[in-house]
Amino acid sequence: MLKVAHLQKSFNHKVVLEDASFDVQLGQVIHISGENGSGKSTIFKIIAKIIKPDAGQVQMTEDSVIGALIENPGFLEFESGLTNLKFLAQLNKRYDENKVKQLMTDFGLNPNSNRSVAKYSLGMRQKLGIIQAIMEEQNIILLDEPTRGLDQESLAHFVQLVNQLRSDNKLVVIASHDFQAGLKYDFKYRLKDGVLRSED
Ligand SMILES: Nc1ncnc2c1ncn2[C@@H]1O[C@H](COP(=O)(O)OP(=O)(O)OP(=O)(O)O)[C@@H](O)[C@H]1O
Ligand SMILES: [Mg+2]
C-alpha cells in the first residue's frame, strides 16, 4: 500500500504541488502524466524521501522497499554496467549476481562487457537505471520517464518486465508523457497546476 495525501511543495515561493493525493496498492501499475515542469519528478522525490514536502503525508506498509529511477540516474562513469549494479546493490546488501546478470541479458546488455558506462548510449543507461530499481525485490517501484531512448525491442521487453512485476505483486508507478502500448494501467493520473487528478 502506498498512500500519498495532500502533498504540497514550493520552490522559491513558486508552488509546484498544491494537492497531490493517491492511494494505490501492490499488484497495480499506475500512470502519472503531466507537462514538463508540472511536478512529476518532485512527487517521486518526496515518496523516495529525497526531499521533504511542505505539507502532506506519504504512508506505506512497513515491509515496503522503494526502487526508483528518477531523472537521469548517476553512475560510476568509468566502471562497467555490472560493476555499477554491484556497487548500488551492495549499499543495502541484497546483491544477487546471477539475478542481476539475468536482468541485464534479458534487456540486451552484456553483463560480461568491460565497456564503461561513460560509453553507454542513452537507452543503455536507461536500462541500467530500470534494472537498479527492480534488482533487489523492491516492491514499490517508481519509474520516471523509463522508456526514454529505448528501441522497439527494448520497449517490448519493458512491457513484459512491468507485467511480470505486476504478477509478482509489486506496485509500479510510471511517470511519462505517453502511454506505453501493451501496458494496462490500473489508474491514470494527470498532474496539472499542482493538482493530481484521476483520469477516465
Ligand atoms: N530543487 C529545486 N529547486 C528549485 N526548483 C525546482 C527544484 N526541483 C524542481 N523544481 C521546479 O519544480 C517544477 C517541477 O519540476 P519537476 O522536475 O518535478 O517536473 P516534471 O513534471 O518532472 O517535469 P519533466 O516532465 O520535465 O521531467 C519545475 O518548475 C522545476 O523547475
Ligand atoms: Mg521529471
Side-chain angles (χ1 to χ4, degrees):
M1 176 277 295
L2 172 66
K3 188 174 177 181
V4 168
H6 308 298
L7 294 184
Q8 293 180 11
K9 183 73 185 175
S10 297
F11 292 108
N12 313 316
H13 305 291
K14 182 175 163 281
V15 178
V16 172
L17 298 178
E18 200 170 290
D19 185 4
S21 303
F22 62 83
D23 188 350
V24 293
Q25 310 294 330
L26 294 177
Q28 294 181 340
V29 177
I30 310 299
H31 190 272
I32 298 178
S33 63
E35 290 171 3
N36 292 130
S38 59
K40 303 180 298 297
S41 298
T42 300
I43 292 180
F44 279 2
K45 288 179 200 166
I46 292 170
I47 297 171
K49 298 193 170 71
I50 296 165
I51 60 172
K52 285 205 166 94
D54 299 332
Q57 294 88 37
V58 177
Q59 292 177 324
M60 55 191 99
T61 39
E62 236 166 63
D63 61 352
S64 302
V65 182
I66 293 181
L69 163 68
I70 305 179
E71 293 176 347
N72 306 308
F75 294 112
L76 305 170
E77 292 292 322
F78 297 101
E79 304 296 339
S80 72
L82 183 62
T83 300
N84 267 275
L85 294 174
K86 187 184 285 192
F87 165 71
L88 288 169
Q90 280 178 351
L91 293 179
N92 50 11
K93 301 189 172 59
R94 282 170 170 240
Y95 186 64
D96 176 344
E97 178 138 315
N98 288 332
K99 178 176 174 167
V100 170
K101 282 185 167 176
Q102 191 62 54
L103 285 168
M104 290 180 79
T105 306
D106 291 347
F107 227 153
L109 296 176
N110 176 4
N112 303 314
S113 162
N114 292 325
R115 188 198 290 209
S116 66
V117 168
K119 293 182 187 146
Y120 269 32
S121 68
L122 172 65
M124 291 170 77
R125 282 171 177 270
Q126 278 301 101
K127 292 175 183 183
L128 221 47
I130 293 168
I131 293 172
Q132 62 78 33
I134 64 172
M135 68 185 172
E136 301 167 273
E137 295 298 323
Q138 294 99 325
N139 54 5
I140 296 184
I141 299 155
L142 311 174
L143 300 175
D144 195 2
E145 296 287 349
T147 55
R148 266 194 316 180
L150 295 193
D151 59 28
Q152 284 307 317
E153 202 179 322
S154 308
L155 284 175
H157 181 65
F158 175 75
V159 168
Q160 205 186 317
L161 207 56
V162 173
N163 284 327
Q164 183 63 48
L165 291 166
R166 187 206 318 256
S167 32
D168 292 343
N169 204 35
K170 313 278 170 84
L171 166 65
V172 184
V173 186
I174 299 174
S176 172
H177 295 281
D178 44 14
F179 297 103
Q180 193 52 55
L183 264 189
K184 187 185 157 293
Y185 302 96
D186 295 279
F187 292 104
K188 294 178 190 164
Y189 295 95
R190 184 156 184 87
L191 185 55
K192 190 169 186 292
D193 301 326
V195 181
L196 192 65
R197 288 195 174 82
S198 178
E199 290 200 309
D200 310 327

